[in-house]
């Protein structure tokens, strides 16, 4: 069998695997200096009690023949899709119906799997820096910067790390993430409108990664791209319960593919992307488990909503503290206000991995090197609020003692 040569165009290891390996090596060599993990954005708080109780009850259902559940509906159980449509959209004045919602095992998988829908010669546009899954999944499908199928969108400190609508070359699929991973920047409604206008004018698709929408605390900032008029005709929105409700280990999220979103085949005929996604999912995916979906449903109960909000506030406080600490140290930083991530510029001349190593050696802190998110992230690191309050305080103390 001949292997998929596109893999030869990928970096040897996935970013977080590389970071993890370096931290493990350091920890083995220094067993008495516990490293505070501020790299991968993994939650630390346990499941909200309402979620855990709903899952316990669902396990009970599975123990009885009368309430047992085998294969579920491919798009997800109606009880969860209805809760999503009602709470995440209709309650905010957005008309999304349950038959436009696809429950899945997480945003990362959905975003990566979406490439199945693109024609071979599709040109994708990604900001730089960017969540590596957008780029790597396209490289696996044969797109590279060298063959012109991956185009980088300008996104740097001159524009507060907000991707700028390009002039000139047409991009078929645009990846946007707000609140942004890794930079913590957040797009305003006007920013999103500019992209929706571009997509409508060029017949492009926007893949909107909204995995961190729960961290938006400024009511003026949008949490869904569908807050922009006309977005349903050009955008897919992907959401996750990982960071919203601590589901990183459970796996559940959802993708909205509006009925109004159409594309064309090579022969010119029109097709609803929703139909293609359903066809793709029914072929390659068997759904998130019944127990997990009952847990996700509980997030929308009054108690669940309160408990999950408290957890988000906890992580946001950590992120804010980190951001303030960076400001105090005189380092250029953004994020940490409507986002769990803080993006920090290294002091003069230091590269991302150099600062990563320095912080690991001197402060026993692991961070994510910005260059791992693309060349545009060189010279920066990412800190995360997903840690305990106590560890965040400890990390800040260690950083304060550092002479950079
Ligand atoms: C991150 O740290 O960027 C995320 O936790 C990774 C992910 O969500 O897959």
């Amino acid at each position: 069998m001949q292997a998929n040569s596109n893999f030869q165009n990928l970096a040897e290891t996935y970013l977080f695997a590389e970071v993890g390996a370096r931290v493990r090596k350091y920890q083995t060599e220094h067993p008495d200096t516990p490293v505070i993990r501020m790299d991968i954005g993994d939650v630390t708080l346990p499941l909200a009690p309402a979620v855990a109780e709903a899952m316990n009850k669902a396990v009970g259902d599975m123990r009885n023949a009368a309430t047992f559940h085998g294969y579920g509906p491919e798009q997800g159980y109606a009880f969860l899709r209805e809760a999503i449509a009602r709470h995440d959209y209709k309650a905010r004045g957005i008309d999304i119906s349950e038959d436009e919602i696809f429950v899945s095992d997480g945003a990362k998988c959905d975003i990566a799997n979406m490439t199945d829908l693109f024609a071979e010669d599709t040109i994708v546009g990604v900001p730089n820096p960017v969540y590596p899954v957008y780029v790597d999944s396209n490289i696996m499908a044969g797109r590279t910067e060298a063959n012109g199928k991956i185009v980088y969108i300008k996104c740097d400190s001159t524009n507060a790390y907000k991707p700028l609508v390009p002039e000139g070359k047409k991009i078929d699929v645009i990846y946007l993430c707000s609140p942004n991973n890794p930079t913590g920047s957040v797009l305003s409604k006007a920013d999103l409108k500019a992209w929706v206008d571009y997509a409508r004018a060029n017949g492009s698709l926007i893949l909107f990664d909204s995995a961190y929408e729960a961290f938006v605390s400024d009511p003026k900032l949008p949490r869904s791209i569908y807050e922009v008029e006309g977005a349903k005709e050009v955008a897919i929105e992907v959401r996750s319960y990982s960071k919203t409700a601590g589901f990183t280990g459970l796996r559940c999220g959802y993708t909205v593919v509006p009925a109004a979103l159409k594309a064309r085949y090579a022969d010119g005929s029109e097709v609803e992307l929703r139909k293609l996604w359903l066809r793709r999912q029914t072929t390659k995916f068997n759904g998130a488990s019944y127990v997990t979906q009952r847990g996700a449903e509980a997030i929308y109960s009054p108690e669940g909503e309160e408990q999950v909000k408290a957890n988000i506030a906890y992580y946001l406080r950590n992120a804010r503290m980190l951001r303030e600490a960076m400001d105090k140290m005189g380092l250029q930083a953004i994020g940490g206000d409507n986002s769990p991530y803080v993006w920090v510029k290294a002091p003069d001349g230091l590269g991302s991995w150099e600062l990563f190593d320095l912080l690991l050696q001197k402060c026993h802190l692991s961070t994510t090197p910005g260059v791992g998110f693309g060349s545009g992230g060189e010279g920066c690191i990412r800190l995360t609020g997903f840690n305990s309050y106590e560890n965040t305080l400890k990390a800040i103390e260690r950083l304060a003692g550092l002479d950079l």
Side-chain angles (χ1 to χ4, degrees):
M1 172 263 183
Q2 194 180 326
N4 177 354
S5 306
N6 296 327
F7 277 70
Q8 292 179 298
N9 296 321
L10 290 168
E12 185 65 23
T13 45
Y14 181 62
L15 170 63
F16 293 106
E18 172 67 23
V19 170
R22 291 200 191 201
V23 175
R24 275 192 301 280
K25 181 169 181 289
Y26 179 84
Q27 198 63 94
T28 311
E29 289 163 3
H30 304 83
D32 301 327
T33 12
V35 172
I36 299 179
R37 300 288 303 253
M38 297 239 147
D39 48 271
I40 192 162
D42 198 1
V43 290
T44 49
L45 294 171
L47 285 178
V51 171
E53 276 158 31
M55 291 182 74
N56 277 336
K57 188 168 171 296
V59 170
D61 292 347
M62 298 298 273
R63 290 171 67 117
N64 286 305
T67 48
F68 173 77
H69 286 75
Y71 289 124
E74 283 100 356
Q75 262 187 260
Y77 284 97
F79 61 76
L80 180 54
R81 288 186 292 114
E82 279 162 14
I84 293 168
R86 195 165 58 249
H87 292 268
D88 287 347
Y89 293 102
K90 293 198 168 91
R92 295 190 185 139
I94 302 166
D95 184 23
I96 291 290
S97 63
E98 46 270 29
D99 59 1
E100 297 172 300
I101 295 164
F102 295 76
V103 175
S104 73
D105 57 350
K108 175 181 181 171
C109 326
D110 279 0
I111 287 167
N113 292 333
M114 205 57 76
T115 56
D116 280 359
L117 269 48
F118 309 163
E120 216 176 301
D121 58 0
T122 296
I123 296 175
V124 303
V126 289
N128 184 5
V130 76
Y131 179 43
V133 173
Y134 309 163
V135 177
D136 288 359
S137 57
N138 276 289
I139 291 179
M140 288 177 193
R143 295 184 191 90
T144 60
E145 190 179 7
N147 69 21
K149 304 274 172 57
I150 297 181
V151 172
Y152 285 100
I153 299 169
K154 188 171 158 62
C155 170
D156 57 28
S157 58
T158 60
N159 194 40
Y161 285 98
K162 292 178 179 193
L164 283 174
V165 176
E167 284 161 18
K169 193 165 186 174
K170 175 178 168 278
I171 302 172
D172 301 308
V173 176
I174 299 135
Y175 288 78
L176 294 179
C177 175
S178 178
N180 189 263
N181 179 14
T183 67
S185 72
V186 188
L187 299 177
S188 68
K189 208 165 160 181
D191 297 325
L192 282 181
K193 185 179 177 325
W195 280 107
V196 168
D197 289 348
Y198 173 88
R200 288 168 67 90
N202 290 281
S204 314
L205 166 72
I206 297 173
L207 260 183
F208 187 66
D209 180 352
S210 178
Y212 298 94
E213 57 81 30
F215 292 84
V216 172
S217 37
D218 179 344
K220 289 192 293 299
L221 291 169
R223 294 171 67 156
S224 164
I225 194 162
Y226 304 123
E227 289 179 40
V228 175
E229 216 183 308
K232 282 202 278 182
E233 285 153 41
V234 291
I236 287 176
E237 179 161 290
V238 184
R239 288 199 180 180
S240 163
Y241 296 117
S242 285
K243 316 295 159 63
T244 308
F247 274 49
T248 50
L250 286 179
R251 310 306 311 146
C252 196
Y254 65 86
T255 286
V256 178
V257 190
L261 181 56
K262 312 265 171 52
R264 286 194 188 278
Y265 286 118
D267 65 8
S269 58
E270 198 177 65
V271 61
E272 267 187 34
L273 279 183
R274 181 175 63 152
K275 287 198 176 139
L276 295 198
W277 186 239
L278 180 63
R279 187 70 179 82
R280 190 260 168 225
Q281 292 296 79
T282 47
T283 306
K284 296 193 182 181
F285 182 59
N286 259 339
S289 78
Y290 169 71
V291 175
T292 305
Q293 291 192 58
R294 280 293 184 199
E297 181 195 22
I299 296 166
Y300 299 103
S301 67
E303 322 77 72
E305 221 157 8
E306 277 309 302
Q307 293 160 2
V308 161
K309 250 192 215 157
N311 290 359
I312 299 279
Y314 178 88
Y315 295 127
L316 269 177
R317 176 174 64 165
N318 291 345
R320 260 195 303 270
M321 280 162 39
L322 287 168
R323 168 69 188 273
E324 281 162 17
M326 295 301 104
D327 292 346
K328 254 194 212 142
M329 288 172 75
L331 295 174
Q332 249 184 58
I334 65 161
D337 32 19
N338 293 284
S339 151
Y341 296 125
V342 181
W343 184 249
V344 186
K345 176 119 185 56
D348 291 337
L350 270 189
S352 295
W353 281 109
E354 281 173 312
L355 184 56
F356 170 91
D357 281 333
L358 190 143
L359 294 178
L360 190 57
Q361 304 288 335
K362 297 224 165 127
C363 302
H364 325 302
L365 274 190
S366 67
T367 57
T368 309
V371 71
F373 298 100
S375 58
E378 180 53 293
C380 296
I381 54 160
R382 190 194 74 176
L383 299 175
T384 161
F386 293 117
N387 210 313
S388 66
Y389 173 67
E390 293 72 23
N391 271 348
T392 307
L393 278 181
K394 234 186 267 175
I396 290 170
E397 263 169 40
R398 291 182 190 178
L399 284 164
L402 186 72
D403 189 18
L404 275 174

